[in-house]
Amino acid sequence: MTVTAAPRPGLFGVAVTLGKTNAVEFCNFMDYQIKRYPSGSHIILEPYSIENDKDHALPRSQTDQLLAKIVRAAEVDGICRSLDDNDLARNTAVSLAKRVPVVFSYTGEVGEDSKTITPRGFKINDRNDPINLEEHLNRLAPDGLEFNVTVLSPAEALIKAAAIYEKNLLRAGDQIYSAIIDTGMSGASGTIAADGTLTQISVNDKAGHEKMPYVKKFKLIEGERGEKGHVARYITANDLNNHSRKKRGLMATVENFKQLTQSKYHATLTAAVKLLNDTLQENGVGDDLSISNQDVKLWDDDEAFPRSVKNYFTITNQDVLESSIMNNNKEFSDQEIIQAAKKGDKFAQALVIFTFIRVSQALAQSINSQIPNKQPSGQLSLNLDGPTPPIKSDKPVQLLFVTSSFNRDLSEIIKDYQGPELQSRVIQSELRKLGHPGILCPGQSLHHFNLDLNGTPLIVEEQLKEAISKDLKTPRKTAQ
């Protein structure tokens, strides 16, 4: 007796994440099947995965195997077998399979053709030279199978996905901004065109290299960071390379306070604690770590933040000295500091929320560099060298889309996950200081914080739906 395995659902497109930080840490891809193929042009797609959406993950040393696996999975025969109960579906599948869409999100150098990458931290064909991934996949593919490859930076992939995610609510002329905050920071801006697509895309991959605002003001708390005060040195929280030789983020702040606990710096410690408390109070952080959200028109009042909190969150010098993260015999990582905050360490909590505020100030600066005010008071904080100049606007940003493991960790310290509310306030206040029209408030428009959006799958799905719809509308000759 011969046992035949059930045919695999057809592959139409592939979304690939190639690299997570400056060095490639993982590779994975998701492929797609037709979930339901009703009559007409209504298409429903879903990721196909045997176990989970990362079951194709491979170590960075096996990038060649990853690319070969994509090709094997896209063989036309497999698609035909899985859909042979529906002639229309089969024909459409075969047509699309001749040009399989593959979208890469890549943190390294991407060529102007959006198909060529320069491998960093891994090799393809045992080389680190620039390589056109579309040509490479097509060379690996069997006859009759071709790939349509697009390589995007994470920031560009995210903003395109954000526009797709909220496409039913956005209108022509709306300006949107997306940000990624993790081991660094990047962002992108764009405008919705008349046909609903995203245009005027301007990517700021170097947002983490902008100068952090208010470095002098908060020097007592943060200490010296060097290298021109780059943003990344103040917000980085998840970098495994954040060790004693180049302290960043929370880790560097704790080390600064360890210096201040020496007896000769007692007065300075008191001043640093006061500055920390004042900053949390100015931003409405209550004693129960909630964020004041009374019925106040936050975006229209002269005062950026409400003053309705009766009891603010405060710490004392003693809280610093008794903190679990102030043991001089141990160097605490950012993640250990965050965990201490989650367990109730008051000093750790204060530092985490303070850093979240600082991240938001840096994010406002990045938004202003991408979408500066048309008026003279709106100042650019960054001169971009890319082919697309920053958008200039005299109206608020319609959609701000943030994805961030950094945000997730920090916002979980705040009661009831009110991190987005705090971040909204800080960004709006900072943009107003820069003369920028700001962002529309949540009650009147879109202001979406999403921690988990992955850009490439949504882009692939959109390409597939458009291609299948177009294919369905194309007259076909009936086989004789």
Side-chain angles (χ1 to χ4, degrees):
M1 181 177 68
T2 302
V3 178
T4 304
R8 169 183 167 160
L11 177 80
F12 289 91
V14 181
V16 186
T17 301
L18 189 59
K20 185 178 179 182
T21 63
N22 289 336
V24 173
E25 293 183 348
F26 70 89
C27 308
N28 68 67
F29 72 89
M30 298 170 64
D31 47 32
Y32 293 82
Q33 65 178 353
I34 291 180
K35 181 178 181 181
R36 186 157 49 92
Y37 207 109
S39 59
S41 59
H42 183 59
I43 306 301
I44 298 176
L45 298 159
E46 69 175 8
Y48 173 80
S49 175
I50 297 173
E51 297 176 357
N52 57 58
D53 64 1
K54 291 186 179 179
D55 77 313
H56 297 299
L58 289 171
R60 61 187 180 192
S61 61
Q62 298 181 34
T63 307
D64 283 324
Q65 290 94 316
L66 170 77
L67 298 175
K69 193 172 183 180
I70 290 172
V71 172
R72 289 196 301 271
E75 289 179 358
V76 179
D77 288 345
I79 295 176
C80 291
R81 282 199 306 271
S82 66
L83 298 172
D84 59 10
D85 58 337
N86 186 315
D87 289 340
L88 180 60
R90 183 185 67 245
N91 292 337
T92 301
V94 172
S95 174
L96 287 174
K98 293 178 180 178
R99 196 70 171 163
V100 177
V102 183
V103 179
F104 286 87
S105 173
Y106 180 54
T107 57
E109 182 181 343
V110 180
E112 292 185 5
D113 60 357
S114 295
K115 298 179 186 297
T116 301
I117 71 167
T118 301
R120 184 167 59 184
F122 65 99
K123 295 181 179 181
I124 297 178
N125 285 348
D126 292 323
R127 304 178 68 178
N128 295 110
D129 300 331
I131 183 169
N132 184 305
L133 290 179
E134 181 170 284
E135 293 177 355
H136 182 68
L137 288 177
N138 287 336
R139 281 194 294 268
L140 296 175
D143 291 341
L145 179 62
E146 292 183 88
F147 292 90
N148 177 22
V149 172
T150 305
V151 186
L152 303 169
S153 69
E156 186 171 4
L158 179 66
I159 195 168
K160 287 188 174 183
I164 294 169
Y165 190 82
E166 299 286 11
K167 66 180 179 181
N168 293 329
L169 298 173
L170 292 168
R171 299 291 180 267
D174 285 346
Q175 293 163 355
I176 68 175
Y177 184 87
S178 68
I180 300 173
I181 305 170
D182 195 353
T183 55
M185 185 169 77
S186 61
S189 63
T191 299
I192 303 300
D195 63 357
T197 60
L198 190 65
T199 186
Q200 291 183 271
I201 298 174
S202 177
V203 177
N204 183 2
D205 281 329
K206 297 186 180 299
H209 295 283
E210 291 183 355
K211 183 175 174 58
M212 186 73 173
Y214 309 125
V215 168
K216 291 183 179 179
K217 176 180 178 180
F218 294 115
K219 183 179 176 181
L220 273 178
I221 296 173
E222 297 170 325
E224 295 279 2
R225 300 292 167 98
E227 290 197 11
K228 301 179 181 179
H230 286 171
V231 166
R233 289 201 167 266
Y234 290 81
I235 69 171
T236 302
N238 297 310
D239 189 350
L240 298 178
N241 294 317
N242 189 5
H243 48 68
S244 57
R245 287 183 296 163
K246 56 171 188 175
K247 295 185 182 69
R248 301 181 177 188
L250 289 164
M251 188 177 184
T253 306
V254 169
E255 291 300 310
N256 180 61
F257 268 90
K258 286 181 179 180
Q259 293 293 321
L260 299 183
T261 58
Q262 298 178 25
S263 58
K264 63 180 179 179
Y265 295 123
H266 181 77
T268 307
L269 173 62
T270 299
V273 169
K274 181 180 185 304
L275 178 59
L276 185 55
N277 286 331
D278 288 347
T279 304
L280 300 183
Q281 178 176 329
E282 289 168 3
N283 289 277
V285 180
D287 60 352
D288 59 353
L289 295 185
S290 65
I291 304 301
S292 173
N293 58 358
Q294 303 297 320
D295 294 329
V296 179
K297 294 181 180 178
L298 297 177
W299 314 139
D300 299 326
D301 290 353
D302 291 335
E303 263 192 326
F305 306 114
R307 301 297 177 186
S308 56
V309 176
K310 294 181 179 179
N311 299 305
Y312 293 103
F313 180 85
T314 58
I315 63 168
T316 64
N317 287 17
Q318 199 64 25
D319 290 324
V320 177
L321 296 171
E322 295 177 355
S323 172
S324 62
I325 59 175
M326 290 298 287
N327 183 342
N328 283 311
N329 295 322
K330 181 176 179 180
E331 189 175 68
F332 291 88
S333 69
D334 283 7
Q335 284 300 316
E336 287 173 325
I337 297 167
I338 290 170
Q339 290 306 313
K342 289 181 179 179
K343 293 176 182 178
D345 186 309
K346 285 196 69 175
F347 177 53
Q349 289 173 338
L351 290 189
V352 167
I353 298 173
F354 168 80
T355 304
F356 188 60
I357 292 169
R358 296 289 278 139
V359 168
S360 303
Q361 291 171 339
L363 182 54
Q365 175 179 260
S366 184
I367 293 170
N368 188 58
S369 74
Q370 293 292 97
I371 313 178
N373 187 1
K374 282 183 178 179
Q375 307 303 318
S377 58
Q379 300 297 316
L380 273 171
S381 58
L382 177 68
N383 292 320
L384 298 178
D385 297 323
T388 304
I391 301 164
K392 291 190 176 182
S393 175
D394 55 4
K395 65 178 183 178
V397 178
Q398 180 74 10
L399 169 64
L400 172 61
F401 212 106
V402 181
T403 183
S404 170
S405 60
F406 186 87
N407 272 26
R408 182 192 298 111
D409 286 338
L410 273 61
S411 64
E412 284 180 359
I413 308 303
I414 302 171
K415 185 179 179 180
D416 298 328
Y417 301 92
Q418 294 180 60
E421 172 67 19
L422 174 57
Q423 194 161 59
S424 300
R425 289 187 197 170
V426 177
I427 291 171
Q428 187 74 344
S429 174
E430 292 301 308
L431 286 175
R432 292 291 174 82
K433 291 176 185 177
L434 293 167
H436 192 283
I439 51 176
L440 294 180
C441 71
Q444 297 174 349
S445 184
L446 305 173
H447 190 175
H448 193 112
F449 287 79
N450 188 308
L451 301 174
D452 302 304
L453 179 69
N454 186 347
T456 50
L458 277 179
I459 296 170
V460 170
E461 289 179 27
E462 193 74 2
Q463 289 182 359
L464 291 173
K465 290 175 183 178
E466 291 177 359
I468 293 174
S469 295
K470 181 178 179 180
D471 202 73
L472 285 172
K473 295 174 183 177
T474 303
R476 297 180 179 278
K477 294 181 180 180
T478 304
Q480 299 298 322

